[in-house]
Amino acid sequence: MARRDDAVRTAVEQGLLGPDAPLAGLLDVTGIRDSAAALRAAFDAVVPPGTPVLHAFAVKATPLVPVLRLLREAGIGAEVASPGELALARAAGVTPECIVLDSPAKTAAELRRALELGVAVNADSPQELSRLDELVRTVRTDSPLGIRVNPQTGAGSIQALSTATATSKFGVALRDEGAREWVVRAYAERPWLTRLHAHSGSQGVPLSLMARGIAETYALAEEINRHVGRRQIDTIDIGGGLHVNFGSDVTTPTYAQYARLLAEAVPGLFDGRYGLVTEFGRSLLAKHGTLVARVEYTKSAGGRAVAVTHAGVQVAVRTVYAPASWPLRIAAYDAKGRPKEGTAVVQDVAGPACFAGDLLAEARALPLLEQGDHVAVLDTGAYYFAHHYAYNSLARPGVYGYAPDGDGGIRFAVVREPQSVEEIVAESGGGRAGALSEL
Ligand SMILES: *Cc1c(COP(=O)(O)O)cnc(C)c1O
């Protein structure tokens, strides 16, 4: 992709990458804006004009304040699952009515704060609903409140990410004995419960399975509203979880495909009687992030060429520990940041961490990497470089946004400074070096 190639070359030219800055995350601002617009257009095309729709970005996918601000400016709110994520959304200026709080482990204080702010809350369990019962008696709140259900429609190809399995820890398991009746009664007894939530998709879940989960959630909302004799549930939160194609630059499936499929599979959800909330994460950001690392050394082992780079487990935890589920594309660039030419040679792309499995790619055919070259790890805008793992006390890399400067070049903005060694020491108890000696 030309814009990415320009960004890598310019980052090298400007010294964002170099001998002393061997790793950086780059975010394509144009791409993020385009995805946000595509998401809004996709659902606007299938609901009657005037239908309330909130697209809440799942903050966990890319927990960086300038990204949340960019999305807010593009008309996207925030889905948060911890006090930290809520604080990030607020720091980005996302207003409470555009924030949704979902987490399976909200504390009493967290719930109270959310209600005081007016942030929407989806109760994950009967015990949490009891806490809400107490709070709504004492806290004056504008928070829309709902229950998260698990339609138990089954797993996708990645077990650890599948939220709609029979025994998933999330939501009220709808097909369990007595659960459906419990949910209907919970709404009948609580006129303030006006939303219903399910997040049944994730990477590796096909669209048809996601649609089935949403169809079941819609059917439950209809059943509840029939039972109480009014439109008590006025908004359905369909979660996120759209699969991302990590195999090429093509975005597939698209939001438009998904929205059209849902409109066909669950037409009643789109006839204007329900407001809609979505919570996409990975599909908004993944393809707009590129991790660029310098090749520090190359060597050969057992006849295999190995490039030792600065991108490994500290920025690609999933790929390093579960490479079969999370393969990443790698593009080779030369020392000046230009796409590297040459015959493909099977080689390993290794990270800097001190354990043998720290590989970003095994036996990958790429132009033979040389010392001082760069590798770009593609599609890493979500759940990768913003999710640093402190193994080997490796520093969090700097993150930079980029966009065309209108003059044929590329402009950068700092999203997050690289972590300094002093910060690593301070965050590792450096200020209390003698703490244990005194015990
Ligand atoms: C993680 C999560 C999302 C976002 O999932 P993606 O696969 O990144 O789109 C949305 N809603 C909830 C409740 C989540 O836990």
Side-chain angles (χ1 to χ4, degrees), residues 228-401:
V228 299
R230 66 187 185 97
R231 306 218 57 77
Q232 181 175 329
I233 295 178
D234 59 22
T235 301
I236 297 182
D237 180 339
I238 64 170
L242 193 67
H243 181 86
V244 166
N245 167 30
F246 285 90
S248 78
D249 279 333
V250 178
T251 296
T252 176
T254 63
Y255 290 124
Q257 285 167 334
Y258 183 43
R260 277 197 300 267
L261 178 84
L262 284 182
E264 278 166 28
V266 202
L269 179 55
F270 298 94
D271 64 10
R273 289 175 303 138
Y274 289 99
L276 208 61
V277 176
T278 74
E279 306 172 341
F280 295 101
R282 180 179 290 107
S283 53
L284 267 169
L285 257 294
K287 298 203 85 63
H288 309 308
T290 303
L291 188 61
V292 189
R294 259 172 80 87
V295 177
E296 194 67 46
Y297 299 107
T298 59
K299 51 164 76 165
S300 157
R304 172 81 54 84
V306 181
V308 179
T309 79
H310 286 275
V313 72
Q314 87 278 31
V315 282
V317 178
R318 284 181 174 169
T319 295
V320 168
Y321 287 124
S325 296
W326 298 102
L328 285 170
R329 290 185 295 149
I330 294 196
Y333 292 86
D334 67 14
K336 294 192 162 155
R338 297 169 306 200
K340 197 166 169 84
E341 316 274 334
T343 342
V345 174
V346 169
Q347 53 199 303
D348 286 356
V349 180
C354 296
F355 72 101
D358 187 36
L359 299 172
L360 283 192
E362 219 176 335
R364 189 70 60 88
L366 291 168
L368 185 63
L369 291 162
E370 297 168 279
Q371 193 172 27
D373 282 349
H374 297 87
V375 292
V377 192
L378 310 185
D379 308 323
T380 48
Y383 304 104
Y384 279 95
F385 54 76
H387 294 65
H388 183 264
Y389 169 44
Y391 198 90
N392 272 154
S393 299
L394 289 158
R396 287 190 289 267
V399 176
Y400 308 93

Side-chain angles (χ1 to χ4, degrees), residues 58 60-61 79 102 148 170 197 199 201-203 239-242 279-283 383:
K60 74 167 183 275
E79 187 265 355
D102 302 319
R148 176 173 182 174
F170 295 111
H197 174 223
H199 166 65
S202 62
Q203 185 68 12
L242 193 67
E279 306 172 341
F280 295 101
R282 180 179 290 107
S283 53
Y383 304 104

Side-chain angles (χ1 to χ4, degrees), residues 46-294:
V46 295
V47 296
T51 307
V53 179
L54 169 65
H55 297 293
F57 173 63
V59 170
K60 74 167 183 275
T62 311
L64 295 167
V65 173
V67 170
L68 305 181
R69 170 69 64 88
L70 181 69
L71 289 172
R72 191 203 78 177
E73 288 164 356
I76 308 283
E79 187 265 355
V80 301
S82 70
E85 288 183 357
L86 175 59
L88 296 182
R90 306 249 307 144
V94 184
T95 49
E97 68 274 14
C98 297
I99 301 179
V100 180
L101 173 63
D102 302 319
S103 129
K106 306 173 199 83
T107 64
E110 222 182 316
L111 288 168
R112 171 178 291 274
R113 173 97 179 112
L115 263 57
E116 285 167 354
L117 284 171
V119 163
V121 176
N122 291 310
D124 190 79
S125 65
Q127 289 183 355
E128 193 182 327
L129 191 60
S130 304
R131 283 189 174 169
L132 286 181
D133 282 339
E134 271 179 48
L135 283 169
V136 294
R137 276 198 291 273
T138 53
V139 180
R140 206 187 269 261
T141 182
D142 296 324
S143 293
L145 302 172
I147 295 178
R148 176 173 182 174
V149 294
N150 168 13
Q152 289 167 299
T153 40
S157 63
I158 305 176
Q159 192 66 29
L161 259 69
S162 296
T163 53
T165 59
T167 57
S168 163
K169 71 171 180 177
F170 295 111
V172 176
L174 218 45
R175 294 183 191 179
D176 283 13
E177 170 119 30
R180 194 177 185 92
E181 296 69 25
W182 179 86
V183 173
V184 174
R185 211 170 342 110
Y187 279 82
E189 292 166 355
R190 293 169 183 80
W192 42 267
L193 282 175
T194 58
R195 286 193 176 182
L196 186 63
H197 174 223
H199 166 65
S200 64
S202 62
Q203 185 68 12
V205 174
L207 290 187
S208 56
L209 193 57
M210 292 174 70
R212 204 175 326 145
I214 290 161
E216 302 229 351
T217 308
Y218 165 77
L220 175 61
E222 291 280 279
E223 180 183 334
I224 291 167
N225 283 347
R226 258 197 318 274
H227 180 84
V228 299
R230 66 187 185 97
R231 306 218 57 77
Q232 181 175 329
I233 295 178
D234 59 22
T235 301
I236 297 182
D237 180 339
I238 64 170
L242 193 67
H243 181 86
V244 166
N245 167 30
F246 285 90
S248 78
D249 279 333
V250 178
T251 296
T252 176
T254 63
Y255 290 124
Q257 285 167 334
Y258 183 43
R260 277 197 300 267
L261 178 84
L262 284 182
E264 278 166 28
V266 202
L269 179 55
F270 298 94
D271 64 10
R273 289 175 303 138
Y274 289 99
L276 208 61
V277 176
T278 74
E279 306 172 341
F280 295 101
R282 180 179 290 107
S283 53
L284 267 169
L285 257 294
K287 298 203 85 63
H288 309 308
T290 303
L291 188 61
V292 189
R294 259 172 80 87

